[in-house]
Amino acid sequence: MRRPLAAGNWKMNGGAPALSEIRSLLEVAGTASSEILICPPATLIDRMRALIAQAPIAVGGQDCHPSESGAHTGDLSAEMLADAGASYVILGHSERRQDHGQDDALVQAKILAARRAGLSAICCVGESLAEREAGQTLDIVSAQIRGSVPQDDSPGLVIAYEPIWAIGTGLTPSAEEIAEVHGALRSMLSAHLGSARAETVRLLYGGSVKPANAAEIFAIDTVDGALVGGASLKADDFSQIIAALDAAQG
Ligand code: PGA
């Protein structure tokens, strides 16, 4: 049984004042059946962790360096994120792949680093609009899975299907399109990891998830939760998305 996951990706948004949004989420977290995760900018991880105390909200990073330490100015290791209180890290997000030239081999090295530090990795895959229009979606995500996901065990691994053209645009694939990619991802993971291990991997959808479309997305059988950008910045919106995820399990 895979526990549904509502993951918030704050990206490069939010200083100390944004922590008040977390205070509002504490109440929701007390009664939610889904797992709740917030990935704030790394500068907020330890303050957020302190604020959350024992409440059932996990905190995560948005990237990490493959090495444990060393001369890598501006980078953070998985161990540092864990030390600050993170239990998850988003890896291979399309904004990191594009803005920082991260390829699949590097993403795989980062997933191995996450495992070394005891963090669960959320590995993002997804196609561009041109790739979707050229009918290449399944080839693209398949290559990303084979290149990015280590074949040995990565406890807690999560895969987020995030079509690049849906991120921050208000556009989303149809339910059939999400189900098709998720179905293919599940088969690819079975071939890559073995079916028993593949069954434990949660498959999220990400890209313009909002309170208005959350119920429809979570009604798709293959969807184990969401990676939410913009709508995770406001506790009220994110709470509605968590409620929709909870309701979809009922
Ligand atoms: P969005 O971002 O919800 O703002 O589209 C999702 C993501 O990039 O993880």
Side-chain angles (χ1 to χ4, degrees), residues 9 11 93-95 124 162 166-170 206-209 227-231:
N9 173 12
K11 309 192 179 187
H93 191 283
S94 59
E95 287 153 14
C124 302
E162 296 211 313
I167 295 175
T169 58
S208 296
V209 177
L227 181 55
V228 184

